[in-house]
Amino acid sequence: MNIETQQLQDLNAKNLSTHKSQFDFLTQTLSNSDVDVDQVIKKLADFQVAIPSWALGAGGTRFGRFSYGGEPASLEQKIEDIGLIHKLTQTAGAISLHIPWDVPEDYNAIKELAALNKIKFDAVNSNTFQDQKNQKETYKYGSLSNTSAAVREQAIAHNKEVVEIGNKLGSKSLTVWLADGASFPGQNNFQTALTHTQNSLISIYEDMPADWKMFIEYKPYEPYFYSTVIQDWGTSLMLANGCGERAYTLVDLGHHLPNTNIEQIVSILMLKGKLGGFHFNDSKYGDDDITVGSIKPYALFLIFNELVYGMQNNPQNPELGWMIDASHNLKDPLEDLIQSLEAIQEAYAKALLIDQEALRAAQENNDVTLCQEILQTAYRTDVRPLVQEARLKTGGALNPIAAYRDLGVRDALIKTRGKNTVATGL
Ligand code: LRH
Ligand code: MN
């Protein structure tokens, strides 16, 4: 399935005048508050989010999985699907692979196909939370933290292999998420588990190419339900500091206990120069991995406020890795990813409208009411014309979901792939 630029231009033409009048009205409104609209649109156009290779098919839970029809059955088809999303949104210019779910067979062919679809290879993800066929040691009782040196060695070797695979594709970062933990009090010695994990991560870190980064992802619980070795941002930061200056913390929005102030975590990590990247999703209860901005859009906006402040004031923090990490149990996976991308762009655009200087002044004066007024004025601004203008300028669809449906993408995928193909992943 390929989407021609002309098809998009024809679809956009139907809504162009409406868009123009909405965009002109907003530009007029924003000119009163010294917002550099062109700069906001440039930042939106340059903002690229990596799509997880494990979230292009229907996801499931232990209670069941309902397949979606036309799912990608190979890494090639996954890259093609991301190419479709990128064509429509112009903000999905990267893929994040999960190994061994998506090991390339022909590296050159995969790199050519990715280049053809204008897709870069972002962070690669290791997997020591499942046992692979013919695997010598089991990860049932942990991997990098395991009491058995043989199991730790196997997990370290896997991570080094993942780096090699990523290196051949042009990726420059490794994401390590460990399920390691315990489901019962007394099951683990917390200190031994953390010490093993630190030493194992150091061994992986020291083996990485000099221009690579390591992202250490934390999570409070699941799949184990009493303790997780890398349970929170503090533990991840400690381990990153223990590895070295190219190790950072990765924030998965779903990996926080209810009501955690994630924007404060983001702000502190940027101040310390240790925020490496994000896994965007949303949740109401646990690690629900649902559409970004579908439950807590204001929280997402507050996180982007700290990101914008950090990107303007914390040169000590590296360029961030932006990734989605979601699972699609009900919606068309591609529509769900498009909605997540739009929610991310809108939160970023609203945060770019915040008058950071006025906010700093109000904070210094403890003018609490004015602080909220400044934030909410930005949040209450309908920024969709800005996001649409950025897409228009980069050759995307004014309305990606409508275009996806008008072009009959899912039907075309089912026609070529059938109803029963199943994508690897969660
Ligand atoms: C763990 C996680 C991690 C991935 C997995 C697919 O919950 O967020 O980032 O390895 O999901
Ligand atoms: Mn994640």
Side-chain angles (χ1 to χ4, degrees):
M1 164 88 197
N2 191 23
I3 299 175
E4 302 302 332
T5 305
Q6 189 53 48
Q7 288 177 292
L8 285 186
Q9 285 168 352
D10 297 347
L11 286 172
N12 288 344
K14 296 184 200 150
N15 307 307
L16 213 49
S17 61
T18 311
H19 166 66
K20 278 294 165 215
S21 57
Q22 291 169 338
F23 178 65
D24 295 346
F25 171 76
L26 180 57
T27 305
Q28 182 52 44
T29 313
L30 294 175
S31 60
N32 306 339
S33 48
D34 305 338
V35 171
D36 179 339
V37 169
D38 292 340
Q39 197 201 41
V40 170
I41 289 171
K42 174 143 185 9
K43 284 191 171 166
L44 291 173
D46 295 344
F47 191 82
Q48 297 297 318
V49 179
I51 304 297
S53 63
W54 60 92
L56 290 158
T61 71
R62 58 187 168 163
F63 302 105
R65 180 182 181 283
F66 305 93
S67 78
Y68 208 83
E71 292 187 25
S74 66
L75 180 54
E76 288 76 5
Q77 291 182 349
K78 288 185 175 189
I79 291 174
E80 285 162 9
D81 285 6
I82 295 174
L84 292 170
I85 296 174
H86 191 43
K87 189 89 186 201
L88 293 170
T89 65
Q90 294 298 320
T91 191
I95 183 172
S96 181
L97 294 186
H98 218 298
I99 308 295
W101 290 336
D102 299 295
V103 180
E105 273 147 32
D106 177 337
Y107 282 82
N108 291 332
I110 285 290
K111 285 163 81 173
E112 276 163 29
L113 181 63
L116 193 67
N117 287 278
K118 300 191 179 64
I119 304 287
K120 290 196 177 68
F121 290 92
D122 205 302
V124 282
N125 299 263
S126 59
N127 177 343
T128 58
F129 50 87
Q130 295 170 330
D131 288 346
Q132 307 305 321
K133 269 203 302 311
N134 322 329
Q135 186 175 298
K136 190 162 176 308
E137 308 287 347
T138 177
Y139 293 134
K140 181 174 180 179
Y141 299 110
S143 61
L144 299 181
S145 73
N146 199 293
T147 54
S148 149
V151 176
R152 297 197 301 274
E153 279 317 312
Q154 177 182 276
I156 291 167
H158 165 70
N159 277 276
K160 292 179 177 178
E161 189 200 342
V162 171
V163 171
E164 272 167 41
I165 290 170
N167 209 26
K168 282 192 261 182
L169 293 168
S171 172
K172 291 292 181 198
S173 50
L174 167 71
T175 295
V176 179
W177 169 67
L178 299 184
D180 294 30
S183 283
F184 301 93
Q187 178 185 339
N188 270 2
N189 177 293
F190 299 132
Q191 299 186 2
T192 308
L194 188 68
T195 305
H196 285 329
T197 302
Q198 180 73 82
N199 296 334
S200 300
L201 286 171
I202 289 171
S203 168
I204 297 164
Y205 179 88
E206 289 173 346
D207 192 65
M208 285 192 325
D211 61 349
W212 269 59
K213 290 188 270 191
M214 174 188 279
F215 299 148
I216 301 173
E217 184 176 3
Y218 58 89
K219 183 175 181 178
Y221 72 96
E222 190 203 42
Y224 303 113
F225 299 106
Y226 169 66
S227 82
T228 297
V229 177
I230 312 181
Q231 61 166 330
D232 61 10
W233 68 277
T235 308
S236 169
L237 178 61
M238 219 168 17
L239 291 166
N241 287 336
C243 288
E245 62 184 15
R246 290 178 292 108
Y248 302 92
T249 293
L250 185 141
V251 175
D252 183 313
L253 298 185
H255 293 184
H256 300 89
L257 297 176
N259 308 323
T260 298
N261 187 325
I262 303 174
E263 57 269 27
Q264 182 177 5
I265 294 171
V266 166
S267 173
I268 301 307
L269 288 171
M270 291 195 86
L271 177 64
K272 297 300 175 187
K274 278 296 187 183
L275 179 63
F278 275 86
H279 280 181
F280 289 112
N281 48 54
D282 208 341
S283 52
K284 184 158 184 60
Y285 302 104
D287 188 19
D288 309 345
D289 278 342
I290 58 177
T291 319
V292 180
S294 59
I295 303 286
K296 308 186 289 285
Y298 192 60
L300 184 67
F301 163 74
L302 294 175
I303 289 168
F304 267 95
N305 172 39
E306 298 305 333
L307 288 167
V308 167
Y309 180 84
M311 288 190 273
Q312 288 171 359
N313 296 282
N314 304 138
Q316 67 272 31
N317 201 83
E319 204 182 320
L320 291 160
W322 312 106
M323 288 161 271
I324 290 174
D325 183 0
S327 178
H328 322 289
N329 303 350
L330 295 173
K331 298 180 192 175
D332 176 322
L334 302 188
E335 290 189 343
D336 203 342
L337 289 163
I338 290 170
Q339 288 185 316
S340 282
L341 290 164
E342 291 198 281
I344 293 167
Q345 286 233 317
E346 282 174 32
Y348 185 31
K350 287 175 187 269
L352 288 169
L353 299 187
I354 296 169
D355 183 336
Q356 294 288 344
E357 253 171 71
L359 181 60
R360 288 295 298 117
Q363 288 166 339
E364 289 302 312
N365 301 334
N366 297 313
D367 186 340
V368 182
T369 302
L370 182 56
C371 291
Q372 183 168 322
E373 286 301 307
I374 292 166
L375 275 187
Q376 296 198 334
T377 300
Y379 183 72
R380 292 171 177 148
T381 305
D382 180 356
V383 295
R384 289 175 293 179
L386 294 175
V387 175
Q388 289 171 334
E389 184 69 10
R391 279 199 294 266
L392 203 57
K393 277 195 161 49
T394 50
L398 273 176
N399 186 333
I401 292 282
Y404 178 89
R405 292 187 169 197
D406 292 349
L407 294 166
V409 175
R410 180 53 59 184
D411 293 342
L413 293 174
I414 290 172
K415 200 148 163 277
T416 49
R417 297 171 183 174
K419 272 191 165 304
N420 307 315
T421 46
V422 175
T424 55
L426 277 185

